[in-house]
């Protein structure tokens, strides 16, 4: 069930543009999923009907899954579309919508910090992959550079952190508006 946030109050042109860019990046992830599906089907058909499997499909698919997640995560975070158990939130909302906004803000702040930490944790490996021209695969048969995959994780984490910061801001605004409406 989608989350019932009312972020429409703060969706200015900058926010809508940010969401549009993140949706476009998520669309790249969707196209990548389709491409991986085609690659896997081609490998299965080649393996079973022509006895010629495609080399490296498992490795490419394994690396791609992580990259696809980090391409799609920022849009989902900004939209408030991450999966969560909200049975407790629904109960709290009946008694105090302001408390729900405070919980949303706390959740988003923790998300922003955690994904910021992922950036700092993943950056050294990304830098090393760039400097050393690291590849994966079988040398002489096929190889792919690891740098783009590492970079997607770093950039995706950074943008997810920004998306969570925007959600935290929206929740703070909603918390303040709830407080002022309760005071009236």
């Amino acid at each position: 069930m989608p989350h019932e946030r009312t972020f429409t109050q703060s969706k200015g042109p900058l926010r809508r543009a940010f969401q549009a860019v993140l949706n476009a990046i998520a669309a790249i992830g969707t196209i990548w999923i389709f491409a991986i599906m085609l690659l896997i089907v081609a490998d299965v058909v080649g393996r079973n009907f022509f006895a010629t499997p495609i080399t490296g499909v498992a490795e490419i698919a394994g690396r791609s899954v992580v990259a696809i997640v980090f391409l799609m995560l920022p849009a989902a975070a900004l939209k408030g579309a991450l999966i969560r158990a909200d049975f407790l939130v629904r109960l709290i909302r009946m008694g105090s919508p302001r408390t729900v906004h405070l919980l949303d803000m706390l959740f988003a702040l923790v998300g922003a910090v955690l994904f910021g930490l992922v950036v700092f944790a993943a950056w050294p490996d990304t830098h090393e992959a760039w400097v050393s021209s690291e590849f994966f695969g079988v040398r002489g048969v096929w190889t792919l550079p690891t740098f783009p995959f590492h970079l997607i994780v770093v950039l995706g984490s950074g943008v997810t952190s920004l998306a969570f910061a925007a959600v935290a801001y929206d929740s703070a605004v909603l918390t303040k508006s709830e407080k002022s409406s309760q005071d009236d």
Side-chain angles (χ1 to χ4, degrees), residues 61-84:
R63 296 274 179 159
S64 293
V65 167
V66 174
I68 290 165
V69 166
F70 282 93
L71 286 172
M72 296 179 130
L73 192 58
L78 186 62
K79 196 180 298 179
L82 295 176
I83 296 174
R84 71 185 204 184

Side-chain angles (χ1 to χ4, degrees), residues 163-178:
F164 273 126
V167 170
Y169 173 79
D170 287 343
S171 295
V173 168
L174 289 171
T175 301
K176 186 176 179 182
S177 70
E178 285 288 335

Side-chain angles (χ1 to χ4, degrees), residues 85-170:
D86 65 347
F87 62 92
L88 186 59
V89 171
R90 280 189 260 149
L91 289 174
I92 295 170
R93 181 174 284 120
M94 286 188 274
S96 174
R98 184 170 185 260
T99 303
V100 172
H101 297 310
L102 284 169
L103 287 172
D104 284 342
M105 184 176 68
L106 179 63
F107 174 79
L109 287 173
V110 169
V113 168
L114 288 176
F115 279 97
L117 291 172
V118 170
V119 170
F120 287 110
W123 176 251
D125 289 339
T126 305
H127 182 261
E128 181 62 29
W130 174 258
V131 170
S132 67
S133 298
E134 180 182 321
F135 285 81
F136 72 94
V138 179
R139 200 173 284 260
V141 179
W142 72 272
T143 57
L144 277 176
T146 61
F147 174 72
F149 296 95
H150 286 288
L151 187 62
I152 289 171
V153 170
V154 169
L155 294 177
S157 295
V159 176
T160 301
S161 184
L162 290 174
F164 273 126
V167 170
Y169 173 79
D170 287 343

